[in-house]
Amino acid sequence: MIGLLESLARPLLRMLDAEDAHRLAINALKIPPFVKLVGEDARLAVRAFGLNFPNPVGMGAGFDKHAEVPDALLRLGFGFVEVGTVTPLPQSGNPRPRVFRLDHDEGVINRLGFNSEGAAAVLRRLAARAEKGGIVGVNIGANKDSTDRIGDYVRLIETFAPVASYFSVNISSPNTPGLRDLQQGQMLDDLLGRIVDARTRVSREAGTTPVLIKIAPDLALGDLDDIVAAARRHRVDGMIVGNTTVARPQALRDSATAREAGGLSGRPLFALATRVLAETYVRVEGAFPLVGVGGIDSGETALAKIRAGACLIELYSALVFHGLRLVAAIKSELSEVLRREGGTMDELVGTDAAAITAQPWPI
Ligand SMILES: Cc1cc2nc3c(=O)[nH]c(=O)nc-3n(C[C@H](O)[C@H](O)[C@H](O)COP(=O)(O)O)c2cc1C
């Protein structure tokens, strides 16, 4: 049923502005008959940062920014859903149009700029579904006009700790000027110190919510050394690698759209994001788990992320081109690999990381 409706709807959705199509998809997910429960292969279960994931395939941040449909997504088969980015105060983001499809490249460029309904609205929704279970992470970001960006992250940790399964600290969006500076030096040290403190302060009432940092794929390797060292020093629970890229691979076919400002995601991001994931994995030395994101569009690319060092994966852009059925397809391909090769998901994690880091840098 979902497949049929999707095949009918997709050509029409393609005619719409990308952001209008996204709004339609969110509204469709609010209608119960579209959503069915799916069975789960026990071999796909993953335990990471104290949480039991029914499968490793997560919905990436940015699809459900305001936590409108996390339960529909979980019922469709995602192992977890990352809502947000949420900012403390509501803000409208950049002027439209601000999301662009690169149809030939199966990529997306967005410069949304953290359009958020704000913490109060998102908290209300998450509190109303808190008893339902399922892993719902909250991706947090600073308001554009904030005079104390680190203070924004601290407030959001305090606010959402009772309802968040984990936090994704987004310091890697390219669309809020200066935000990526938080990935560096003293700023990063202050940020990590204060957010880990905040998490500990509220843990008596809220439990110890895992804190992950989400990084950019555009980091120089020297900066990555520093980030991993700081993350290990502050004992963060994991890293998400990573966000969209400001780079534009030369081979892009939609060359006019590629000139739009913003972060590029989807298939053209895969090689770069997977390389940075492997580079992160070899630096982390097992100190904490990694979530691999960027360009996953099949069982094969999902498996490549896992072999590059991810114990969990997330996707977004490929859903625009392949629809929500992709989630079930990826899971069944992963199941098939485990059945064929024997062993567990854990044993696959990072097996190719060292080899990937020895290859020429992807362009
Ligand atoms: C339209 C759009 C909006 C996004 N919004 C966010 C966001 O609010 N916060 C965030 O951390 N990442 C955001 N992302 C990045 C994704 O979560 C993901 O890191 C990136 O798109 C790479 O994965 P993909 O190639 O599977 O899309 C957004 C991506 C897209 C395409």
Side-chain angles (χ1 to χ4, degrees), residues 22 59-63 65 82-86 98-100 106-115 139-140 168-175 214-215 240-245 263-270 273 292-297 305 314-320:
H22 170 258
M59 178 79 233
F63 179 79
K65 280 183 187 266
E82 188 167 313
V83 301
T85 296
V86 188
R98 53 191 181 173
V99 185
F100 307 89
E106 297 200 2
V108 175
I109 290 175
N110 93 83
R111 52 169 179 270
L112 287 160
F114 288 173
N115 54 312
N139 180 303
I140 56 176
S168 167
V169 179
N170 182 1
I171 46 176
S172 47
S173 167
N175 300 315
K214 183 168 177 180
I215 63 169
I240 303 182
V241 189
N243 218 311
T244 57
T245 179
L264 171 68
S265 55
R267 187 174 282 173
L269 173 59
F270 179 78
V293 202
I296 295 169
D297 61 1
K305 283 282 189 215
E314 293 180 340
L315 67 157
Y316 180 172
S317 300
L319 301 171
V320 173

Side-chain angles (χ1 to χ4, degrees), residues 207-225:
T208 303
T209 314
V211 169
L212 283 65
I213 54 174
K214 183 168 177 180
I215 63 169
D218 302 318
L219 293 163
L221 290 179
D223 291 336
L224 186 61
D225 290 340

Side-chain angles (χ1 to χ4, degrees), residues 47-259:
R47 184 165 171 81
F49 28 87
L51 301 175
N52 292 314
F53 294 77
N55 71 69
V57 185
M59 178 79 233
F63 179 79
D64 191 7
K65 280 183 187 266
H66 320 300
E68 295 171 272
V69 292
D71 295 297
L73 294 168
L74 291 171
R75 282 196 297 272
L76 276 168
F78 281 104
F80 61 110
V81 174
E82 188 167 313
V83 301
T85 296
V86 188
T87 55
L89 301 173
Q91 63 177 29
S92 54
N94 290 321
R96 290 178 66 168
R98 53 191 181 173
V99 185
F100 307 89
R101 280 186 304 256
L102 283 70
D103 285 320
H104 296 97
D105 299 304
E106 297 200 2
V108 175
I109 290 175
N110 93 83
R111 52 169 179 270
L112 287 160
F114 288 173
N115 54 312
S116 174
E117 291 184 5
V122 174
L123 179 64
R124 222 175 302 120
R125 288 191 191 114
L126 291 179
R129 59 126 351 245
E131 303 301 314
K132 290 190 178 161
I135 297 179
V136 180
V138 179
N139 180 303
I140 56 176
N143 276 117
K144 184 180 176 200
D145 298 331
S146 172
T147 51
D148 176 12
R149 286 191 167 160
I150 294 180
D152 279 13
Y153 289 94
V154 168
R155 261 170 74 192
L156 290 163
I157 296 239
E158 290 167 349
T159 305
F160 284 103
V163 295
S165 303
Y166 69 88
F167 284 108
S168 167
V169 179
N170 182 1
I171 46 176
S172 47
S173 167
N175 300 315
T176 295
L179 191 87
R180 285 182 166 196
D181 296 347
L182 287 169
Q183 294 179 122
Q184 279 166 350
Q186 190 59 44
M187 295 252 269
L188 178 67
D189 217 47
D190 287 350
L191 172 77
L192 295 184
R194 287 185 59 195
I195 58 179
V196 171
D197 272 1
R199 186 268 302 271
T200 306
R201 226 175 16 256
V202 295
S203 65
R204 193 129 52 112
E205 300 83 51
T208 303
T209 314
V211 169
L212 283 65
I213 54 174
K214 183 168 177 180
I215 63 169
D218 302 318
L219 293 163
L221 290 179
D223 291 336
L224 186 61
D225 290 340
D226 296 344
I227 292 179
V228 171
R232 292 178 69 168
R233 210 164 45 244
H234 288 282
R235 297 181 184 282
V236 307
D237 299 279
M239 280 170 63
I240 303 182
V241 189
N243 218 311
T244 57
T245 179
V246 294
R248 297 289 182 268
Q250 277 168 6
L252 289 175
R253 290 165 66 200
D254 292 290
S255 49
T257 314
R259 283 195 283 275

Side-chain angles (χ1 to χ4, degrees), residues 317-335:
S317 300
L319 301 171
V320 173
F321 302 100
H322 300 278
L324 282 159
R325 300 180 263 203
L326 185 57
V327 181
I330 290 175
K331 289 197 299 181
S332 78
E333 286 184 57
L334 291 177
S335 287

